[in-house]
Amino acid sequence: MDFDLNKYIERIGLTTTLDIENLKPDLETLNKIQLADMQSIPFENMDIVNKQLISIEIRDICDKILNHGRGGYCYEKNILLMTVLKAIGYHVTPMIARVMWMTPGVIKPLTHLILIVKLPEAMDIEYMVDVGFGGLGSTVPLKFVIDEEQVTDGTYRFINTDDNYKLLQIQIKDEWNDMYR
């Protein structure tokens, strides 16, 4: 199956709140889509656990998530979202990241996919969008700025690391925890 924007909007349950013919690449639409995606399409890594081959071709992702009602892992979910956002008119750059969760100071391989999104009317502002991290991920886009606490469904911030990476952290019980960089 090739990508079908209508089928995606239906899958995330926004057919009554988004006018598919008049979607605007603005922050309000981005917020709605990210939240609905995270509430409707679960993070799932069953194919990895079952040692099944995983394709990151958009037709295969659409078949799995849109036709068969399954979820996906970060690459699948964020590639699908990137395709959606580009179709609407957002400027999207995929970036790979190192998950640091529960392993502070340990340098792991680049195994996570995130999206950097720019709105056409504000190209100087970057948002980090990630629907593939699971339960601790923000349900709304985060401004990709350093040392600014952002309170959404949690409290997040980006900091610079000593080796010149950007690190996303979440605050839990007054303590900052590394998520990924």
Side-chain angles (χ1 to χ4, degrees), residues 2 9 16 19 33 39 58 84 92 107 114 135 153 162 168-169:
D2 290 322
I9 296 298
T16 58
D19 178 4
I33 289 173
Q39 291 175 334
I58 191 62
V84 167
V92 184
I107 303 300
I114 63 172
D153 46 334
D162 292 339
L168 176 63
Q169 296 182 314

PDB file of all heavy atoms in Angstrom, residues 2 9 16 19 33 39 58 84 92 107 114 135 153 162 168-169:
ATOM      1  N   ASP A   2       0.573   2.178  -0.858  1.00  0.00           N
ATOM      2  CA  ASP A   2       1.267   3.456  -0.853  1.00  0.00           C
ATOM      3  C   ASP A   2       0.660   4.357   0.209  1.00  0.00           C
ATOM      4  O   ASP A   2      -0.430   4.100   0.726  1.00  0.00           O
ATOM      5  CB  ASP A   2       1.160   4.118  -2.236  1.00  0.00           C
ATOM      6  CG  ASP A   2       1.994   3.372  -3.273  1.00  0.00           C
ATOM      7  OD1 ASP A   2       3.093   2.920  -2.922  1.00  0.00           O
ATOM      8  OD2 ASP A   2       1.527   3.242  -4.414  1.00  0.00           O
ATOM      9  N   ILE A   9      -5.053  10.003   8.721  1.00  0.00           N
ATOM     10  CA  ILE A   9      -5.891  10.881   9.558  1.00  0.00           C
ATOM     11  C   ILE A   9      -7.016  10.073  10.201  1.00  0.00           C
ATOM     12  O   ILE A   9      -7.347  10.266  11.377  1.00  0.00           O
ATOM     13  CB  ILE A   9      -6.437  12.071   8.732  1.00  0.00           C
ATOM     14  CG1 ILE A   9      -5.290  12.968   8.241  1.00  0.00           C
ATOM     15  CG2 ILE A   9      -7.464  12.873   9.531  1.00  0.00           C
ATOM     16  CD1 ILE A   9      -4.463  13.619   9.328  1.00  0.00           C
ATOM     17  N   THR A  16     -12.833  14.041  12.341  1.00  0.00           N
ATOM     18  CA  THR A  16     -13.857  15.038  12.685  1.00  0.00           C
ATOM     19  C   THR A  16     -13.266  16.384  13.100  1.00  0.00           C
ATOM     20  O   THR A  16     -13.972  17.382  13.114  1.00  0.00           O
ATOM     21  CB  THR A  16     -14.763  14.526  13.837  1.00  0.00           C
ATOM     22  OG1 THR A  16     -13.944  14.233  14.971  1.00  0.00           O
ATOM     23  CG2 THR A  16     -15.532  13.287  13.405  1.00  0.00           C
ATOM     24  N   ASP A  19      -9.824  19.229   8.816  1.00  0.00           N
ATOM     25  CA  ASP A  19     -10.347  19.293   7.460  1.00  0.00           C
ATOM     26  C   ASP A  19      -9.219  18.887   6.520  1.00  0.00           C
ATOM     27  O   ASP A  19      -8.320  19.680   6.243  1.00  0.00           O
ATOM     28  CB  ASP A  19     -10.847  20.702   7.162  1.00  0.00           C
ATOM     29  CG  ASP A  19     -11.355  20.868   5.749  1.00  0.00           C
ATOM     30  OD1 ASP A  19     -11.396  19.871   4.993  1.00  0.00           O
ATOM     31  OD2 ASP A  19     -11.708  22.003   5.390  1.00  0.00           O
ATOM     32  N   ILE A  33      -1.714  16.555  15.475  1.00  0.00           N
ATOM     33  CA  ILE A  33      -1.269  15.316  14.845  1.00  0.00           C
ATOM     34  C   ILE A  33      -0.343  14.534  15.762  1.00  0.00           C
ATOM     35  O   ILE A  33      -0.491  13.319  15.931  1.00  0.00           O
ATOM     36  CB  ILE A  33      -0.608  15.609  13.482  1.00  0.00           C
ATOM     37  CG1 ILE A  33      -1.686  16.038  12.473  1.00  0.00           C
ATOM     38  CG2 ILE A  33       0.164  14.398  12.975  1.00  0.00           C
ATOM     39  CD1 ILE A  33      -1.144  16.510  11.147  1.00  0.00           C
ATOM     40  N   GLN A  39      -1.456   8.832  20.865  1.00  0.00           N
ATOM     41  CA  GLN A  39      -2.582   8.208  21.552  1.00  0.00           C
ATOM     42  C   GLN A  39      -3.189   7.053  20.757  1.00  0.00           C
ATOM     43  O   GLN A  39      -3.886   6.224  21.330  1.00  0.00           O
ATOM     44  CB  GLN A  39      -3.663   9.248  21.845  1.00  0.00           C
ATOM     45  CG  GLN A  39      -3.247  10.263  22.875  1.00  0.00           C
ATOM     46  CD  GLN A  39      -4.276  11.360  23.079  1.00  0.00           C
ATOM     47  OE1 GLN A  39      -5.070  11.672  22.196  1.00  0.00           O
ATOM     48  NE2 GLN A  39      -4.268  11.948  24.262  1.00  0.00           N
ATOM     49  N   ILE A  58       8.181   3.072   3.095  1.00  0.00           N
ATOM     50  CA  ILE A  58       6.906   3.673   3.487  1.00  0.00           C
ATOM     51  C   ILE A  58       5.718   2.785   3.130  1.00  0.00           C
ATOM     52  O   ILE A  58       4.757   2.703   3.890  1.00  0.00           O
ATOM     53  CB  ILE A  58       6.747   5.118   2.927  1.00  0.00           C
ATOM     54  CG1 ILE A  58       5.540   5.819   3.566  1.00  0.00           C
ATOM     55  CG2 ILE A  58       6.648   5.117   1.418  1.00  0.00           C
ATOM     56  CD1 ILE A  58       5.612   6.015   5.052  1.00  0.00           C
ATOM     57  N   VAL A  84       3.736  12.126   6.454  1.00  0.00           N
ATOM     58  CA  VAL A  84       2.515  12.900   6.685  1.00  0.00           C
ATOM     59  C   VAL A  84       2.822  14.393   6.698  1.00  0.00           C
ATOM     60  O   VAL A  84       2.180  15.184   5.999  1.00  0.00           O
ATOM     61  CB  VAL A  84       1.858  12.490   8.025  1.00  0.00           C
ATOM     62  CG1 VAL A  84       0.775  13.474   8.444  1.00  0.00           C
ATOM     63  CG2 VAL A  84       1.307  11.077   7.944  1.00  0.00           C
ATOM     64  N   VAL A  92      10.776  18.984   7.044  1.00  0.00           N
ATOM     65  CA  VAL A  92      11.123  17.939   8.006  1.00  0.00           C
ATOM     66  C   VAL A  92      12.505  17.371   7.693  1.00  0.00           C
ATOM     67  O   VAL A  92      12.793  17.024   6.556  1.00  0.00           O
ATOM     68  CB  VAL A  92      10.084  16.789   7.983  1.00  0.00           C
ATOM     69  CG1 VAL A  92      10.398  15.763   9.057  1.00  0.00           C
ATOM     70  CG2 VAL A  92       8.670  17.324   8.132  1.00  0.00           C
ATOM     71  N   ILE A 107      27.837   5.597  26.310  1.00  0.00           N
ATOM     72  CA  ILE A 107      27.651   5.994  24.916  1.00  0.00           C
ATOM     73  C   ILE A 107      27.177   4.773  24.130  1.00  0.00           C
ATOM     74  O   ILE A 107      27.892   3.784  24.004  1.00  0.00           O
ATOM     75  CB  ILE A 107      28.952   6.556  24.305  1.00  0.00           C
ATOM     76  CG1 ILE A 107      29.462   7.733  25.137  1.00  0.00           C
ATOM     77  CG2 ILE A 107      28.723   6.956  22.846  1.00  0.00           C
ATOM     78  CD1 ILE A 107      28.507   8.894  25.247  1.00  0.00           C
ATOM     79  N   ILE A 114      14.489  10.684  15.262  1.00  0.00           N
ATOM     80  CA  ILE A 114      13.653  11.818  15.647  1.00  0.00           C
ATOM     81  C   ILE A 114      13.482  12.710  14.423  1.00  0.00           C
ATOM     82  O   ILE A 114      14.157  12.541  13.416  1.00  0.00           O
ATOM     83  CB  ILE A 114      14.257  12.629  16.817  1.00  0.00           C
ATOM     84  CG1 ILE A 114      15.590  13.260  16.414  1.00  0.00           C
ATOM     85  CG2 ILE A 114      14.395  11.752  18.057  1.00  0.00           C
ATOM     86  CD1 ILE A 114      16.166  14.233  17.418  1.00  0.00           C
ATOM     87  N   GLY A 135       6.246   5.912  26.298  1.00  0.00           N
ATOM     88  CA  GLY A 135       5.507   6.624  27.323  1.00  0.00           C
ATOM     89  C   GLY A 135       6.095   7.902  27.873  1.00  0.00           C
ATOM     90  O   GLY A 135       5.360   8.756  28.341  1.00  0.00           O
ATOM     91  N   ASP A 153       3.301  17.747  28.825  1.00  0.00           N
ATOM     92  CA  ASP A 153       2.770  16.687  29.677  1.00  0.00           C
ATOM     93  C   ASP A 153       3.842  16.221  30.658  1.00  0.00           C
ATOM     94  O   ASP A 153       3.619  15.351  31.474  1.00  0.00           O
ATOM     95  CB  ASP A 153       2.257  15.528  28.831  1.00  0.00           C
ATOM     96  CG  ASP A 153       3.231  15.136  27.730  1.00  0.00           C
ATOM     97  OD1 ASP A 153       4.017  15.983  27.294  1.00  0.00           O
ATOM     98  OD2 ASP A 153       3.202  13.972  27.301  1.00  0.00           O
ATOM     99  N   ASP A 162      29.308  17.972  26.946  1.00  0.00           N
ATOM    100  CA  ASP A 162      30.725  18.344  26.864  1.00  0.00           C
ATOM    101  C   ASP A 162      31.327  18.024  25.497  1.00  0.00           C
ATOM    102  O   ASP A 162      32.251  18.681  25.057  1.00  0.00           O
ATOM    103  CB  ASP A 162      31.533  17.641  27.956  1.00  0.00           C
ATOM    104  CG  ASP A 162      31.179  18.154  29.340  1.00  0.00           C
ATOM    105  OD1 ASP A 162      30.637  19.280  29.440  1.00  0.00           O
ATOM    106  OD2 ASP A 162      31.427  17.428  30.322  1.00  0.00           O
ATOM    107  N   LEU A 168      18.450  15.614  25.164  1.00  0.00           N
ATOM    108  CA  LEU A 168      17.100  15.838  25.679  1.00  0.00           C
ATOM    109  C   LEU A 168      16.997  15.179  27.044  1.00  0.00           C
ATOM    110  O   LEU A 168      17.375  14.019  27.213  1.00  0.00           O
ATOM    111  CB  LEU A 168      16.044  15.247  24.740  1.00  0.00           C
ATOM    112  CG  LEU A 168      14.598  15.348  25.240  1.00  0.00           C
ATOM    113  CD1 LEU A 168      14.148  16.809  25.386  1.00  0.00           C
ATOM    114  CD2 LEU A 168      13.656  14.585  24.325  1.00  0.00           C
ATOM    115  N   GLN A 169      16.476  15.943  27.996  1.00  0.00           N
ATOM    116  CA  GLN A 169      16.267  15.428  29.349  1.00  0.00           C
ATOM    117  C   GLN A 169      14.821  15.638  29.762  1.00  0.00           C
ATOM    118  O   GLN A 169      14.143  16.551  29.284  1.00  0.00           O
ATOM    119  CB  GLN A 169      17.168  16.154  30.354  1.00  0.00           C
ATOM    120  CG  GLN A 169      18.644  15.933  30.128  1.00  0.00           C
ATOM    121  CD  GLN A 169      19.477  16.640  31.187  1.00  0.00           C
ATOM    122  OE1 GLN A 169      19.245  17.799  31.512  1.00  0.00           O
ATOM    123  NE2 GLN A 169      20.464  15.923  31.729  1.00  0.00           N
TER     124      GLN A 169
END
